[in-house]
Amino acid sequence: MSLTAKQLLDSITAEIGHSAILQGEQVEPRYAVDWSRENPCLPDVVFRPNSTEAVSTILRLCNQSRQPLVVQGGLTGLAGGATPQTGEWVLSLERLQGVVELDAESMTLTARAGTPLETLQLAAREAGFMLPLDLGARGSCTIGGNIATNAGGNQVIQYGMTRSLVLGLEVVMADGTIIASRNKLLKNNTGFDLKHLFIGSEGSLGVVTEAILRLFPATSSRTSALCAMTNFSDVIALLKSMKKKLPVISAFEAMWANYYRYAVDEVKHRRDPFGQHHNFYVLLESEGNETDKDEARFQQALFEELEAGRIADAVIASSVQDRQDFWAIRDAVGEILRMVKYEANFDIGIPLNQTESCIREIEQELQREFGNLFLLIFGHIGDGNLHLIATTGKREDTRRIYDIVYRITGAHQGGVAAEHGIGMLKKPWLHLSRSPEEIVLMQTLKSALDPNHILNPGRVIGRA
Ligand SMILES: Cc1cc2nc3c(=O)[nH]c(=O)nc-3n(C[C@H](O)[C@H](O)[C@H](O)COP(=O)(O)OP(=O)(O)OC[C@H]3O[C@@H](n4cnc5c(N)ncnc54)[C@H](O)[C@@H]3O)c2cc1C
């Protein structure tokens, strides 16, 4: 460590104390990389502040010394955004945890940024509410990370992305200034709505330290089914039909046969609830407040779809265990990502009317180029968002896989990142989804809010 770096560390230690700082051998390997597992880099220093004021002190002093920092939440990000680059120190929010307030009248939950999402889901449930943000990484990801990435997940179809659930934010700027917008109002047009600058900007414009989130009354019934289908056009027809027939669709998750078979046979080692193999599977969920009526309506709707030939077969959950078993198949992606190697991992957005042709073209071109490729397709089809995991098992092929998939996605009016963000790993393809003018405006905002580029430098966009 250089003399200036040591002096900086000494001055930060003097203000926030030793207990909030790890250095040298104290820094565990987990701080070196996010879930992408790409390009790990062990940082020299990790700050673990437990107050907004301490976050502000760290940023103020690092900014004065031009010391770059990378912000870390739960490190479940898949775009390499929280992975340190050489010379960066880590600002981890893992000790900034807890529910600050649950306001039952305003139906809001105020939480510190490092709180795991699942902790907030449980806090809301215990008070008779629902926080309708849910993703496979719920146990490890933090609400600050969810806000920074504008996370999507399983309930976007009904409740929108994280952005639509955030009412107020406390943010610390790169120079240490604390911006506290503790808004609880649904309607508030008093000037610029600044929180949207920070939601989805992946920690490059400010550090989220606290958030006020919208709650919804908990629904009393939830009905779930796993549907098997033969054609992709039936998947889309089912979505349309269910939107008409059911009052609230809270999840509509599609799985291609390649994903479903791998998850059931190779990951979960389960008996397939269907007697035979099918081409497509949909995990469908509906919510309501009239348990008996909701179940009857759900069953009737599925029966009509079977009669119409859109569904080849369906299994309705008759217990909480059944429902959990359905979701275990969909959530097996977490385990799959630990099993595969050198994978290209996609979260593309594709307009529904283009999905079938786009995926067919991707499959054909990848097979033509690589022969026997490992490819899994699944995702939040109700939101026009698909995940693909593709690998040949060889690191040197990964870049070419990304190029092919993004080129074809772009040609079908799709986007390169529907929910995981750009981070470091998807930067080379940002220009396929954003115009040069949009990228320049992003660079202008970055330079205005973080003129010394100390905060998550190089994430999302390069320097102008
Ligand atoms: C099994 C699995 C399933 C997943 N499913 C989904 C899904 O369905 N939908 C989805 O959208 N994502 C999904 N993800 C991706 C990931 O969980 C989300 O991106 C999540 O929001 C990241 O939160 P985190 O706390 O882990 O953030 P990190 O990985 O720690 O960081 C992500 C980015 O946010 C920045 N950041 C973190 N905290 C803050 C903060 N307080 N202030 C400012 N910047 C910050 C980091 O610098 C980085 O750029 C999944 C990941 C896994 C492993």
Side-chain angles (χ1 to χ4, degrees), residues 34-35 70-78 81-82 93 113 134-137 140-142 144-146 148-154 202-203 206-208 330 333-334 337 380 387 419-420 456 459:
D34 69 6
W35 258 71
V70 60
V71 189
Q72 293 185 348
L75 283 165
T76 67
L78 295 165
L93 278 297
D134 189 41
L135 40 142
S140 319
C141 66
T142 63
N146 301 146
T149 57
N150 187 26
N154 305 326
E202 301 182 50
V207 179
V208 176
R330 171 58 184 85
V333 56
L337 288 175
H380 317 291
H387 299 302
E419 57 177 16
H420 295 165
N456 278 10
R459 274 63 174 189

Side-chain angles (χ1 to χ4, degrees), residues 161-213:
M161 306 276 284
T162 301
R163 186 181 298 283
S164 61
L165 303 174
V166 178
L167 291 174
L169 278 187
E170 179 188 75
V171 176
V172 184
M173 307 299 293
D175 67 357
T177 306
I178 300 172
I179 307 283
S181 308
R182 290 206 168 72
N183 174 60
K184 284 187 179 178
L185 303 172
L186 198 52
K187 299 176 85 172
N188 186 348
N189 280 348
T190 47
F192 299 170
D193 198 343
L194 296 172
K195 64 177 179 282
H196 290 299
L197 274 177
F198 305 102
I199 303 170
S201 56
E202 301 182 50
S204 59
L205 302 183
V207 179
V208 176
T209 45
E210 208 170 288
I212 300 180
L213 306 162

